[in-house]
């Protein structure tokens, strides 16, 4: 029954764009759960801001508002946040009877190189270091897996992650005190890009 015509199992389902954004914010510890009020205008990237008419778009001055749940984000019809657009958020220029689900290279590029995911990976790393107050790599890797994937890493995953952190720190030529945080941020970004994070089974 490859097409699951008899509904004996749950089909694999990718997170909707809004749920994906909210999940990333929740795991990084940044999600603002305040409800209600007017829609929040997010800051625009420099390239997109230059295309807007002057005075048309003003981001909310309170940065804490920028990490509210996506349902409270103000969306302009011709200007959707890159993450939402990449992951099939409905086109606001026309009615949407059914949401489409696509898989394309732009999604991986948005999650791996996007300003939003990069910033949240850094916040995730800072959360791990703050909550565990330890530079013990196995415990940090375990905590990262528990938060992102709600499970402990398998032995081989733990070994690979620890080796990755060691090599990233060794190759880091920047500030010595921040090497662990930067390497951990890279690992967190990898976790955000895993199929297991993006799909519900």
């Amino acid at each position: 029954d490859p097409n699951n015509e008899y509904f004996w199992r749950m089909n694999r389902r990718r997170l909707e764009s809004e749920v994906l954004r909210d999940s990333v914010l929740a795991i990084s510890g940044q999600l603002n759960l305040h409800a209600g009020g007017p829609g929040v205008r997010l800051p625009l990237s420099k390239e997109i801001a230059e295309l807007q008419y002057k005075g048309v778009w003003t981001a909310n001055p309170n940065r804490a508002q920028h990490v509210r749940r996506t349902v409270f984000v103000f969306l302009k019809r011709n200007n959707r946040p890159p993450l939402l657009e990449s992951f099939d958020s409905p086109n606001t220029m026309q009615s949407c009877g059914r949401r489409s689900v696509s898989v394309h290279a732009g999604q991986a590029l948005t999650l791996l190189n996007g300003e939003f995911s990069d910033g949240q990976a850094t916040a995730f790393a800072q959360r791990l270091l703050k909550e565990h107050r330890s530079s013990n790599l196995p415990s940090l890797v375990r905590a990262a897996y528990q938060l992102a994937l709600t499970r402990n890493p398998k032995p081989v995953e733990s070994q690979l992650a620890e080796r990755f952190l060691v090599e990233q720190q060794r190759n880091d030529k920047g500030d010595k005190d921040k090497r662990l945080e930067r390497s951990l941020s890279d690992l967190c970004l990898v976790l955000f890009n895993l199929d297991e994070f993006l799909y519900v089974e």
Side-chain angles (χ1 to χ4, degrees), residues 82-99:
L83 183 73
L84 301 186
E85 189 161 2
S86 292
F87 284 91
D88 306 312
S89 173
N91 182 347
T92 49
M93 298 289 279
Q94 58 194 30
S95 61
C96 176
R98 183 174 184 175
R99 187 179 295 216

Side-chain angles (χ1 to χ4, degrees), residues 38-42 57 70-77 79 81:
V40 178
R41 292 181 185 240
L42 301 177
W57 189 272
T70 310
V71 71
F72 297 112
V73 171
F74 178 85
L75 296 178
K76 192 174 180 185
R77 281 184 292 179
N79 182 13

Side-chain angles (χ1 to χ4, degrees), residues 13-22 24 70 80-91 96 98-114 116-117 189 191-195 197-199:
R13 178 177 59 82
R14 201 196 62 220
L15 296 178
E16 294 91 351
S17 56
E18 298 87 351
V19 177
L20 175 59
R21 179 180 178 272
D22 291 355
V24 169
T70 310
R80 291 179 291 160
L83 183 73
L84 301 186
E85 189 161 2
S86 292
F87 284 91
D88 306 312
S89 173
N91 182 347
C96 176
R98 183 174 184 175
R99 187 179 295 216
S100 61
V101 179
S102 64
V103 178
H104 55 85
Q107 294 169 343
L109 292 171
T110 300
L111 265 186
L112 196 58
N113 301 319
F116 171 77
S117 51
L189 190 59
L191 293 176
F192 285 152
N193 280 268
L194 292 178
D195 269 8
F197 179 73
L198 293 170
Y199 287 84

Side-chain angles (χ1 to χ4, degrees), residues 5-72:
E5 292 174 5
Y6 299 106
F7 300 108
W8 60 278
R9 60 179 165 83
M10 176 182 168
N11 287 327
R12 196 164 180 257
R13 178 177 59 82
R14 201 196 62 220
L15 296 178
E16 294 91 351
S17 56
E18 298 87 351
V19 177
L20 175 59
R21 179 180 178 272
D22 291 355
S23 297
V24 169
L25 287 169
I27 291 166
S28 68
Q30 300 293 299
L31 185 63
N32 179 348
L33 293 173
H34 174 74
V40 178
R41 292 181 185 240
L42 301 177
L44 300 176
S45 65
K46 183 182 175 184
E47 296 80 11
I48 295 175
E50 288 173 353
L51 300 175
Q52 301 292 316
Y53 291 112
K54 288 185 178 179
V56 170
W57 189 272
T58 304
N60 192 301
N62 182 356
R63 292 173 64 89
Q65 294 291 308
H66 299 167
V67 290
R68 292 198 39 210
R69 288 172 51 217
T70 310
V71 71
F72 297 112

Side-chain angles (χ1 to χ4, degrees), residues 133-145:
R133 298 182 183 182
S134 168
S135 58
N136 181 271
L137 297 186
S139 67
L140 289 171
V141 168
R142 187 166 52 253
Y145 267 79

